[in-house]
Structures are given as C-alpha cells and as structure tokens.
Amino acid sequence: MLYVLAAIGALTVAILLWRAFGPERLGVATRPTIAPDDDPEFLRRLGEQTRRRDDDET
C-alpha cells in the first residue's frame, strides 16, 4: 500500500512539474502550421505552373 501511495505522489509531482516547466512555459516557439490552400507562396507557385501549362498547350 505504501508503494502505491508513493507512486501516486511521484506521479502527481511529475505532472505538476511538467505543467510548471513544460514546453509552453519555457518559451519554445511553435510555428502554426499553414495549410497549402492558405499559403500565399504555394498559391503563387501553383498559379505560375497553371499558366505555364496553359501556355504550353496552346
């Protein structure tokens, strides 16, 4: 029984430390993921490829 309580206590301390000093708290910069249809550079390249393909067909 004592080992179970020690394990629960250790787990609680670990969770509290993670919440206090986890990646969000340490200033780790996370870039939001941009979907291809929202990325202006992707859309520009796609438009250029489409225009080139249309020019090649005519």
Side-chain angles (χ1 to χ4, degrees):
M1 182 68 177
L2 185 61
Y3 292 117
V4 174
L5 291 175
I8 291 172
L11 184 62
T12 303
V13 168
I15 290 172
L16 290 175
L17 286 173
W18 177 257
R19 299 281 294 174
F21 302 109
E24 298 97 28
R25 303 290 181 170
L26 294 178
V28 175
T30 56
R31 268 183 70 199
T33 304
I34 298 176
D37 58 346
D38 292 337
D39 185 8
E41 183 65 24
F42 173 78
L43 293 175
R44 184 187 61 77
R45 284 193 316 259
L46 189 62
E48 288 175 357
Q49 289 173 356
T50 304
R51 274 182 256 131
R52 266 190 257 131
R53 196 174 328 130
D54 289 343
D55 291 342
D56 290 343
E57 291 176 358
T58 57

Short mmCIF file of all heavy atoms in Angstrom, two decimals:
data_model
loop_
_atom_site.label_atom_id
_atom_site.label_comp_id
_atom_site.label_asym_id
_atom_site.label_seq_id
_atom_site.Cartn_x
_atom_site.Cartn_y
_atom_site.Cartn_z
N MET A 1 0.83 -1.19 0.00
CA MET A 1 0.00 0.00 0.00
C MET A 1 0.87 1.25 0.00
O MET A 1 0.53 2.24 -0.64
CB MET A 1 -0.93 -0.05 1.23
CG MET A 1 -1.87 1.10 1.31
SD MET A 1 -3.06 1.01 -0.02
CE MET A 1 -4.07 2.37 0.35
N LEU A 2 1.98 1.18 0.74
CA LEU A 2 2.87 2.33 0.81
C LEU A 2 3.48 2.64 -0.56
O LEU A 2 3.64 3.80 -0.93
CB LEU A 2 3.97 2.07 1.84
CG LEU A 2 4.92 3.23 2.11
CD1 LEU A 2 4.15 4.43 2.64
CD2 LEU A 2 6.00 2.81 3.06
N TYR A 3 3.78 1.60 -1.34
CA TYR A 3 4.35 1.79 -2.68
C TYR A 3 3.35 2.45 -3.62
O TYR A 3 3.71 3.26 -4.46
CB TYR A 3 4.81 0.46 -3.26
CG TYR A 3 6.00 -0.12 -2.52
CD1 TYR A 3 5.90 -1.34 -1.86
CD2 TYR A 3 7.21 0.56 -2.48
CE1 TYR A 3 6.97 -1.86 -1.19
CE2 TYR A 3 8.30 0.04 -1.82
CZ TYR A 3 8.18 -1.18 -1.17
OH TYR A 3 9.26 -1.69 -0.50
N VAL A 4 2.09 2.11 -3.49
CA VAL A 4 1.04 2.71 -4.32
C VAL A 4 0.93 4.19 -4.02
O VAL A 4 0.85 5.04 -4.93
CB VAL A 4 -0.31 1.99 -4.12
CG1 VAL A 4 -1.42 2.71 -4.86
CG2 VAL A 4 -0.22 0.54 -4.56
N LEU A 5 0.93 4.56 -2.75
CA LEU A 5 0.85 5.96 -2.38
C LEU A 5 2.10 6.73 -2.84
O LEU A 5 2.00 7.87 -3.30
CB LEU A 5 0.68 6.10 -0.86
CG LEU A 5 -0.66 5.63 -0.30
CD1 LEU A 5 -0.66 5.71 1.22
CD2 LEU A 5 -1.79 6.47 -0.88
N ALA A 6 3.26 6.10 -2.74
CA ALA A 6 4.50 6.73 -3.21
C ALA A 6 4.44 6.95 -4.72
O ALA A 6 4.87 7.99 -5.23
CB ALA A 6 5.70 5.89 -2.82
N ALA A 7 3.92 5.97 -5.46
CA ALA A 7 3.81 6.09 -6.91
C ALA A 7 2.84 7.20 -7.29
O ALA A 7 3.10 8.00 -8.20
CB ALA A 7 3.38 4.77 -7.52
N ILE A 8 1.72 7.28 -6.60
CA ILE A 8 0.74 8.34 -6.86
C ILE A 8 1.35 9.71 -6.54
O ILE A 8 1.18 10.67 -7.29
CB ILE A 8 -0.55 8.10 -6.06
CG1 ILE A 8 -1.28 6.86 -6.60
CG2 ILE A 8 -1.46 9.32 -6.11
CD1 ILE A 8 -2.46 6.42 -5.76
N GLY A 9 2.07 9.80 -5.45
CA GLY A 9 2.73 11.06 -5.09
C GLY A 9 3.78 11.47 -6.11
O GLY A 9 3.86 12.63 -6.51
N ALA A 10 4.59 10.51 -6.56
CA ALA A 10 5.61 10.80 -7.57
C ALA A 10 4.97 11.23 -8.88
O ALA A 10 5.44 12.17 -9.55
CB ALA A 10 6.50 9.59 -7.78
N LEU A 11 3.91 10.58 -9.26
CA LEU A 11 3.19 10.94 -10.48
C LEU A 11 2.60 12.35 -10.37
O LEU A 11 2.68 13.14 -11.32
CB LEU A 11 2.09 9.92 -10.77
CG LEU A 11 1.31 10.11 -12.05
CD1 LEU A 11 2.23 9.98 -13.25
CD2 LEU A 11 0.19 9.08 -12.14
N THR A 12 2.05 12.67 -9.22
CA THR A 12 1.49 14.00 -9.01
C THR A 12 2.57 15.07 -9.10
O THR A 12 2.38 16.10 -9.75
CB THR A 12 0.79 14.07 -7.63
OG1 THR A 12 -0.23 13.05 -7.57
CG2 THR A 12 0.17 15.43 -7.40
N VAL A 13 3.71 14.83 -8.49
CA VAL A 13 4.81 15.79 -8.54
C VAL A 13 5.30 15.94 -9.98
O VAL A 13 5.55 17.05 -10.45
CB VAL A 13 5.96 15.36 -7.60
CG1 VAL A 13 7.21 16.17 -7.85
CG2 VAL A 13 5.51 15.48 -6.15
N ALA A 14 5.40 14.83 -10.71
CA ALA A 14 5.86 14.89 -12.10
C ALA A 14 4.90 15.70 -12.96
O ALA A 14 5.32 16.52 -13.78
CB ALA A 14 6.02 13.48 -12.66
N ILE A 15 3.61 15.50 -12.78
CA ILE A 15 2.61 16.24 -13.55
C ILE A 15 2.67 17.73 -13.21
O ILE A 15 2.62 18.59 -14.10
CB ILE A 15 1.20 15.67 -13.32
CG1 ILE A 15 1.08 14.30 -13.97
CG2 ILE A 15 0.12 16.61 -13.87
CD1 ILE A 15 -0.19 13.56 -13.64
N LEU A 16 2.80 18.05 -11.94
CA LEU A 16 2.89 19.46 -11.54
C LEU A 16 4.14 20.12 -12.11
O LEU A 16 4.10 21.27 -12.56
CB LEU A 16 2.85 19.59 -10.02
CG LEU A 16 1.50 19.26 -9.36
CD1 LEU A 16 1.63 19.29 -7.85
CD2 LEU A 16 0.43 20.23 -9.84
N LEU A 17 5.26 19.41 -12.09
CA LEU A 17 6.48 19.97 -12.66
C LEU A 17 6.35 20.15 -14.16
O LEU A 17 6.82 21.14 -14.72
CB LEU A 17 7.68 19.06 -12.34
CG LEU A 17 8.17 19.11 -10.90
CD1 LEU A 17 9.24 18.04 -10.67
CD2 LEU A 17 8.71 20.49 -10.56
N TRP A 18 5.71 19.19 -14.83
CA TRP A 18 5.51 19.32 -16.27
C TRP A 18 4.63 20.52 -16.59
O TRP A 18 4.90 21.27 -17.53
CB TRP A 18 4.87 18.04 -16.82
CG TRP A 18 4.56 18.15 -18.29
CD1 TRP A 18 3.36 18.37 -18.87
CD2 TRP A 18 5.51 18.05 -19.36
NE1 TRP A 18 3.49 18.41 -20.22
CE2 TRP A 18 4.80 18.23 -20.56
CE3 TRP A 18 6.88 17.84 -19.40
CZ2 TRP A 18 5.42 18.19 -21.79
CZ3 TRP A 18 7.49 17.80 -20.64
CH2 TRP A 18 6.76 17.98 -21.81
N ARG A 19 3.59 20.71 -15.81
CA ARG A 19 2.70 21.86 -16.04
C ARG A 19 3.41 23.18 -15.76
O ARG A 19 3.15 24.18 -16.42
CB ARG A 19 1.46 21.75 -15.15
CG ARG A 19 0.60 20.53 -15.39
CD ARG A 19 -0.27 20.65 -16.57
NE ARG A 19 -1.23 21.70 -16.32
CZ ARG A 19 -2.08 22.16 -17.21
NH1 ARG A 19 -2.10 21.65 -18.40
NH2 ARG A 19 -2.91 23.12 -16.92
N ALA A 20 4.31 23.19 -14.79
CA ALA A 20 5.01 24.43 -14.43
C ALA A 20 6.14 24.74 -15.39
O ALA A 20 6.37 25.91 -15.72
CB ALA A 20 5.55 24.30 -13.01
N PHE A 21 6.86 23.72 -15.87
CA PHE A 21 8.06 23.95 -16.67
C PHE A 21 8.01 23.25 -18.02
O PHE A 21 9.06 22.98 -18.60
CB PHE A 21 9.30 23.49 -15.90
CG PHE A 21 9.47 24.18 -14.58
CD1 PHE A 21 9.26 23.49 -13.40
CD2 PHE A 21 9.82 25.51 -14.52
CE1 PHE A 21 9.42 24.11 -12.18
CE2 PHE A 21 9.97 26.15 -13.31
CZ PHE A 21 9.76 25.46 -12.14
N GLY A 22 6.83 22.94 -18.50
CA GLY A 22 6.70 22.23 -19.77
C GLY A 22 7.10 23.10 -20.96
O GLY A 22 7.50 24.25 -20.80
N PRO A 23 6.99 22.57 -22.17
CA PRO A 23 7.42 23.29 -23.37
C PRO A 23 6.73 24.64 -23.56
O PRO A 23 7.34 25.58 -24.05
CB PRO A 23 7.04 22.36 -24.51
CG PRO A 23 6.85 21.03 -23.91
CD PRO A 23 6.51 21.24 -22.48
N GLU A 24 5.47 24.77 -23.18
CA GLU A 24 4.78 26.04 -23.35
C GLU A 24 5.37 27.12 -22.44
O GLU A 24 5.38 28.29 -22.77
CB GLU A 24 3.29 25.91 -23.03
CG GLU A 24 2.54 24.96 -23.94
CD GLU A 24 2.40 23.59 -23.32
OE1 GLU A 24 2.37 23.49 -22.08
OE2 GLU A 24 2.34 22.62 -24.08
N ARG A 25 5.87 26.72 -21.28
CA ARG A 25 6.38 27.68 -20.30
C ARG A 25 7.82 28.09 -20.56
O ARG A 25 8.26 29.11 -20.11
CB ARG A 25 6.30 27.08 -18.89
CG ARG A 25 4.91 26.65 -18.49
CD ARG A 25 4.03 27.82 -18.29
NE ARG A 25 2.71 27.34 -17.88
CZ ARG A 25 1.78 28.12 -17.45
NH1 ARG A 25 1.98 29.39 -17.36
NH2 ARG A 25 0.62 27.62 -17.12
N LEU A 26 8.56 27.27 -21.29
CA LEU A 26 9.98 27.54 -21.49
C LEU A 26 10.23 28.45 -22.67
O LEU A 26 11.36 28.71 -23.02
CB LEU A 26 10.74 26.22 -21.67
CG LEU A 26 10.78 25.31 -20.45
CD1 LEU A 26 11.53 24.04 -20.78
CD2 LEU A 26 11.45 26.02 -19.28
N GLY A 27 9.20 28.95 -23.29
CA GLY A 27 9.38 29.87 -24.40
C GLY A 27 9.73 29.18 -25.71
O GLY A 27 10.33 29.79 -26.57
N VAL A 28 9.35 27.94 -25.86
CA VAL A 28 9.61 27.24 -27.11
C VAL A 28 8.65 27.79 -28.15
O VAL A 28 7.44 27.74 -27.98
CB VAL A 28 9.41 25.71 -26.94
CG1 VAL A 28 9.57 25.01 -28.27
CG2 VAL A 28 10.37 25.17 -25.91
N ALA A 29 9.21 28.36 -29.19
CA ALA A 29 8.38 28.96 -30.23
C ALA A 29 7.82 27.88 -31.14
O ALA A 29 8.57 27.07 -31.68
CB ALA A 29 9.19 29.95 -31.05
N THR A 30 6.53 27.86 -31.28
CA THR A 30 5.91 26.91 -32.18
C THR A 30 5.27 27.68 -33.32
O THR A 30 4.51 28.63 -33.09
CB THR A 30 4.84 26.07 -31.46
OG1 THR A 30 3.88 26.94 -30.87
CG2 THR A 30 5.46 25.20 -30.38
N ARG A 31 5.62 27.30 -34.55
CA ARG A 31 5.03 27.93 -35.72
C ARG A 31 3.71 27.28 -36.02
O ARG A 31 3.63 26.05 -36.09
CB ARG A 31 5.95 27.75 -36.93
CG ARG A 31 6.91 28.87 -37.14
CD ARG A 31 7.72 28.68 -38.37
NE ARG A 31 6.92 28.84 -39.57
CZ ARG A 31 7.28 28.37 -40.75
NH1 ARG A 31 8.38 27.70 -40.90
NH2 ARG A 31 6.51 28.56 -41.80
N PRO A 32 2.69 28.06 -36.23
CA PRO A 32 1.43 27.43 -36.62
C PRO A 32 1.56 26.83 -38.02
O PRO A 32 2.20 27.39 -38.90
CB PRO A 32 0.43 28.59 -36.61
CG PRO A 32 1.26 29.82 -36.74
CD PRO A 32 2.59 29.50 -36.13
N THR A 33 0.98 25.69 -38.20
CA THR A 33 1.04 25.02 -39.49
C THR A 33 0.10 25.72 -40.45
O THR A 33 -1.05 25.99 -40.13
CB THR A 33 0.62 23.54 -39.34
OG1 THR A 33 1.45 22.94 -38.35
CG2 THR A 33 0.74 22.81 -40.64
N ILE A 34 0.62 26.02 -41.63
CA ILE A 34 -0.19 26.67 -42.67
C ILE A 34 -0.59 25.61 -43.67
O ILE A 34 0.26 24.93 -44.24
CB ILE A 34 0.59 27.80 -43.36
CG1 ILE A 34 0.96 28.88 -42.36
CG2 ILE A 34 -0.22 28.39 -44.50
CD1 ILE A 34 1.81 29.98 -42.95
N ALA A 35 -1.87 25.49 -43.88
CA ALA A 35 -2.35 24.55 -44.89
C ALA A 35 -1.97 25.07 -46.27
O ALA A 35 -1.86 26.28 -46.48
CB ALA A 35 -3.87 24.41 -44.77
N PRO A 36 -1.76 24.18 -47.24
CA PRO A 36 -1.34 24.63 -48.57
C PRO A 36 -2.29 25.64 -49.20
O PRO A 36 -1.85 26.54 -49.90
CB PRO A 36 -1.30 23.34 -49.39
CG PRO A 36 -1.10 22.26 -48.40
CD PRO A 36 -1.77 22.73 -47.15
N ASP A 37 -3.58 25.50 -48.96
CA ASP A 37 -4.51 26.43 -49.58
C ASP A 37 -4.53 27.79 -48.89
O ASP A 37 -5.15 28.73 -49.38
CB ASP A 37 -5.92 25.84 -49.64
CG ASP A 37 -6.45 25.48 -48.27
OD1 ASP A 37 -5.64 25.44 -47.33
OD2 ASP A 37 -7.65 25.23 -48.15
N ASP A 38 -3.83 27.94 -47.77
CA ASP A 38 -3.73 29.23 -47.08
C ASP A 38 -2.36 29.86 -47.25
O ASP A 38 -2.15 30.98 -46.83
CB ASP A 38 -3.99 29.06 -45.58
CG ASP A 38 -5.43 28.68 -45.28
OD1 ASP A 38 -6.30 28.97 -46.13
OD2 ASP A 38 -5.67 28.11 -44.22
N ASP A 39 -1.43 29.14 -47.86
CA ASP A 39 -0.06 29.62 -48.01
C ASP A 39 0.06 30.44 -49.29
O ASP A 39 -0.07 29.91 -50.39
CB ASP A 39 0.89 28.42 -48.04
CG ASP A 39 2.34 28.82 -48.07
OD1 ASP A 39 2.63 30.01 -47.91
OD2 ASP A 39 3.19 27.93 -48.24
N PRO A 40 0.32 31.75 -49.19
CA PRO A 40 0.38 32.58 -50.39
C PRO A 40 1.48 32.15 -51.36
O PRO A 40 1.31 32.22 -52.57
CB PRO A 40 0.63 33.99 -49.86
CG PRO A 40 0.61 33.93 -48.40
CD PRO A 40 0.50 32.52 -47.97
N GLU A 41 2.61 31.71 -50.84
CA GLU A 41 3.72 31.27 -51.70
C GLU A 41 3.31 30.04 -52.51
O GLU A 41 3.59 29.94 -53.70
CB GLU A 41 4.95 30.97 -50.85
CG GLU A 41 6.16 30.58 -51.64
CD GLU A 41 6.69 31.69 -52.53
OE1 GLU A 41 6.44 32.86 -52.23
OE2 GLU A 41 7.33 31.36 -53.54
N PHE A 42 2.64 29.10 -51.87
CA PHE A 42 2.17 27.90 -52.56
C PHE A 42 1.17 28.28 -53.65
O PHE A 42 1.24 27.77 -54.78
CB PHE A 42 1.52 26.93 -51.56
CG PHE A 42 0.86 25.76 -52.22
CD1 PHE A 42 1.60 24.69 -52.68
CD2 PHE A 42 -0.52 25.72 -52.37
CE1 PHE A 42 0.99 23.60 -53.28
CE2 PHE A 42 -1.14 24.65 -52.97
CZ PHE A 42 -0.38 23.58 -53.43
N LEU A 43 0.25 29.19 -53.33
CA LEU A 43 -0.76 29.58 -54.32
C LEU A 43 -0.11 30.30 -55.49
O LEU A 43 -0.52 30.12 -56.65
CB LEU A 43 -1.81 30.47 -53.64
CG LEU A 43 -2.68 29.76 -52.60
CD1 LEU A 43 -3.59 30.76 -51.91
CD2 LEU A 43 -3.48 28.64 -53.23
N ARG A 44 0.93 31.11 -55.24
CA ARG A 44 1.62 31.80 -56.31
C ARG A 44 2.30 30.80 -57.24
O ARG A 44 2.17 30.89 -58.46
CB ARG A 44 2.66 32.78 -55.73
CG ARG A 44 3.37 33.61 -56.80
CD ARG A 44 4.50 34.42 -56.22
NE ARG A 44 5.54 33.60 -55.62
CZ ARG A 44 6.47 32.93 -56.30
NH1 ARG A 44 6.49 32.97 -57.60
NH2 ARG A 44 7.38 32.21 -55.67
N ARG A 45 3.01 29.83 -56.66
CA ARG A 45 3.67 28.81 -57.48
C ARG A 45 2.66 27.98 -58.27
O ARG A 45 2.89 27.64 -59.43
CB ARG A 45 4.51 27.88 -56.60
CG ARG A 45 5.80 28.50 -56.14
CD ARG A 45 6.74 27.46 -55.55
NE ARG A 45 6.08 26.52 -54.66
CZ ARG A 45 6.13 26.57 -53.33
NH1 ARG A 45 6.81 27.50 -52.73
NH2 ARG A 45 5.49 25.67 -52.61
N LEU A 46 1.55 27.68 -57.65
CA LEU A 46 0.52 26.91 -58.32
C LEU A 46 -0.06 27.68 -59.50
O LEU A 46 -0.27 27.13 -60.59
CB LEU A 46 -0.60 26.56 -57.33
CG LEU A 46 -1.66 25.57 -57.78
CD1 LEU A 46 -1.02 24.23 -58.09
CD2 LEU A 46 -2.72 25.42 -56.71
N GLY A 47 -0.28 28.97 -59.32
CA GLY A 47 -0.77 29.81 -60.42
C GLY A 47 0.23 29.89 -61.56
O GLY A 47 -0.15 29.83 -62.74
N GLU A 48 1.52 30.00 -61.23
CA GLU A 48 2.54 30.04 -62.26
C GLU A 48 2.59 28.73 -63.04
O GLU A 48 2.71 28.73 -64.26
CB GLU A 48 3.91 30.33 -61.65
CG GLU A 48 4.08 31.75 -61.16
CD GLU A 48 5.40 31.96 -60.45
OE1 GLU A 48 6.17 30.98 -60.29
OE2 GLU A 48 5.67 33.10 -60.05
N GLN A 49 2.49 27.61 -62.35
CA GLN A 49 2.51 26.31 -63.02
C GLN A 49 1.30 26.16 -63.93
O GLN A 49 1.41 25.65 -65.05
CB GLN A 49 2.52 25.18 -61.99
CG GLN A 49 3.82 25.06 -61.24
CD GLN A 49 3.73 24.03 -60.11
OE1 GLN A 49 2.68 23.46 -59.86
NE2 GLN A 49 4.85 23.83 -59.43
N THR A 50 0.16 26.62 -63.49
CA THR A 50 -1.06 26.52 -64.29
C THR A 50 -0.93 27.37 -65.54
O THR A 50 -1.30 26.93 -66.64
CB THR A 50 -2.29 26.96 -63.45
OG1 THR A 50 -2.34 26.18 -62.27
CG2 THR A 50 -3.57 26.77 -64.24
N ARG A 51 -0.41 28.60 -65.39
CA ARG A 51 -0.23 29.47 -66.55
C ARG A 51 0.76 28.87 -67.54
O ARG A 51 0.54 28.90 -68.75
CB ARG A 51 0.23 30.86 -66.13
CG ARG A 51 -0.94 31.77 -65.78
CD ARG A 51 -0.48 33.15 -65.41
NE ARG A 51 -0.60 33.18 -63.92
CZ ARG A 51 0.31 33.59 -63.10
NH1 ARG A 51 1.44 34.07 -63.53
NH2 ARG A 51 0.13 33.54 -61.81
N ARG A 52 1.86 28.29 -67.03
CA ARG A 52 2.85 27.67 -67.92
C ARG A 52 2.24 26.49 -68.67
O ARG A 52 2.47 26.31 -69.86
CB ARG A 52 4.06 27.20 -67.12
CG ARG A 52 5.15 28.24 -67.10
CD ARG A 52 6.42 27.66 -66.53
NE ARG A 52 6.53 28.17 -65.16
CZ ARG A 52 6.77 27.45 -64.08
NH1 ARG A 52 6.98 26.17 -64.18
NH2 ARG A 52 6.82 28.00 -62.89
N ARG A 53 1.46 25.70 -67.97
CA ARG A 53 0.83 24.53 -68.60
C ARG A 53 -0.16 24.98 -69.66
O ARG A 53 -0.23 24.40 -70.74
CB ARG A 53 0.12 23.69 -67.54
CG ARG A 53 -0.21 22.31 -68.03
CD ARG A 53 -0.78 21.38 -66.96
NE ARG A 53 -0.26 21.62 -65.64
CZ ARG A 53 -1.03 21.77 -64.55
NH1 ARG A 53 -2.33 21.71 -64.66
NH2 ARG A 53 -0.48 22.00 -63.39
N ASP A 54 -0.93 26.03 -69.37
CA ASP A 54 -1.89 26.56 -70.35
C ASP A 54 -1.16 27.11 -71.57
O ASP A 54 -1.60 26.94 -72.70
CB ASP A 54 -2.77 27.63 -69.72
CG ASP A 54 -3.76 27.05 -68.72
OD1 ASP A 54 -3.99 25.82 -68.74
OD2 ASP A 54 -4.30 27.84 -67.91
N ASP A 55 -0.03 27.79 -71.35
CA ASP A 55 0.74 28.35 -72.46
C ASP A 55 1.35 27.24 -73.32
O ASP A 55 1.43 27.36 -74.54
CB ASP A 55 1.86 29.28 -71.95
CG ASP A 55 1.31 30.56 -71.35
OD1 ASP A 55 0.14 30.89 -71.63
OD2 ASP A 55 2.06 31.24 -70.59
N ASP A 56 1.78 26.16 -72.70
CA ASP A 56 2.38 25.06 -73.44
C ASP A 56 1.35 24.32 -74.30
O ASP A 56 1.67 23.80 -75.36
CB ASP A 56 3.06 24.07 -72.49
CG ASP A 56 4.31 24.64 -71.85
OD1 ASP A 56 4.83 25.66 -72.35
OD2 ASP A 56 4.76 24.07 -70.82
N GLU A 57 0.12 24.26 -73.83
CA GLU A 57 -0.94 23.55 -74.57
C GLU A 57 -1.41 24.34 -75.77
O GLU A 57 -1.87 23.78 -76.74
CB GLU A 57 -2.11 23.25 -73.65
CG GLU A 57 -1.79 22.20 -72.59
CD GLU A 57 -2.93 21.97 -71.62
OE1 GLU A 57 -3.96 22.66 -71.74
OE2 GLU A 57 -2.79 21.11 -70.75
N THR A 58 -1.32 25.64 -75.76
CA THR A 58 -1.83 26.44 -76.88
C THR A 58 -0.77 26.75 -77.89
O THR A 58 0.33 26.50 -77.86
CB THR A 58 -2.43 27.78 -76.41
OG1 THR A 58 -1.44 28.50 -75.68
CG2 THR A 58 -3.64 27.54 -75.57
#
